[in-house]
């Protein structure tokens, strides 16, 4: 689609009001809500759609012992680590985690996409989309942030 709609607010309150399918969903909700919002977000994606999730590495704290002593709240860190395990194990998605800044997960919804031999071009397109998205994130100027 040629349109983008930015929605700001409490995702738990807004999400049930949305009807998909969407090409792209960027999740930067309360980290303790990531797990509870996951299934609804995936349901809102079209087959081949992208779910981008911010802060999945949490300054490296999701890896036990990587940051010593931990700086971030332990409950939030554990929630993000558990969500990451759920995300990469979700058979509806093909996920990669891009290790830049606080970490970005990029998932392509493969559920509903035919994977038979006749549909290999569609699968190839999905993988190219994932590669392009990953490259775009890696090359982005993350210091060019407009102040609110």
């Amino acid at each position: 689609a040629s349109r983008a709609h930015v929605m700001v607010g409490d995702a738990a309150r807004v999400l049930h009001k949305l009807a998909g399918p969407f090409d792209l969903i960027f999740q930067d909700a309360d980290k303790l809500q990531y797990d509870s919002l996951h299934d609804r977000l995936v349901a809102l994606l079209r087959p081949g759609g992208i779910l981008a999730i911010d802060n999945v590495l949490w300054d490296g704290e999701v890896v036990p012992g990587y940051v010593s002593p931990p700086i971030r709240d332990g409950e939030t860190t554990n929630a993000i680590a558990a969500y990451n395990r759920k995300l990469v194990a979700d058979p509806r998605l093909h996920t990669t985690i891009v290790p830049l800044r606080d970490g970005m997960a990029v998932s392509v919804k493969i559920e509903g996409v035919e994977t038979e031999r006749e549909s290999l071009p569609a699968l190839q397109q999905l993988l190219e989309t994932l590669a392009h998205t990953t490259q775009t994130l890696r090359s982005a100027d993350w210091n060019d942030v407009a102040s609110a």
Side-chain angles (χ1 to χ4, degrees), residues 10-146:
D10 183 347
R13 292 179 154 193
V14 174
L15 202 55
H16 73 280
K17 298 176 184 178
L18 299 177
F22 294 102
D23 297 324
L24 171 71
I25 297 173
F26 179 76
Q27 179 175 334
D28 192 19
D30 180 323
K31 308 317 172 227
L32 296 175
Q33 293 181 352
Y34 273 20
D35 184 67
S36 63
L37 299 174
H38 179 76
D39 287 330
R40 179 67 179 141
L41 292 175
V42 174
L44 288 169
L45 280 175
R46 69 164 174 81
I50 295 173
L51 176 61
I53 305 102
D54 200 15
N55 307 118
V56 296
L57 295 179
W58 210 229
D59 286 329
E61 292 202 20
V62 295
V63 178
Y66 184 76
V67 176
S68 183
I71 300 167
R72 306 267 190 148
D73 169 56
E75 179 185 12
T76 304
T77 300
N78 291 336
I80 294 170
Y83 178 72
N84 289 344
R85 289 188 294 274
K86 177 179 183 171
L87 182 64
V88 299
D90 191 327
R92 302 168 296 176
L93 303 170
H94 182 84
T95 300
T96 187
I97 294 179
V98 183
L100 55 89
R101 297 193 45 111
D102 239 1
M104 175 75 67
V106 180
S107 301
V108 176
K109 184 175 180 179
I110 58 175
E111 180 183 56
V113 176
E114 297 296 326
T115 56
E116 297 175 10
R117 183 172 295 283
E118 301 83 38
S119 299
L120 286 178
L123 182 59
Q124 181 64 33
Q125 183 179 8
L126 287 175
L127 294 175
E128 287 173 7
T129 299
L130 181 59
H132 176 72
T133 303
T134 301
Q135 184 60 37
T136 300
L137 288 169
R138 285 187 174 151
S139 64
D141 182 358
W142 295 97
N143 294 314
D144 186 21
V145 178

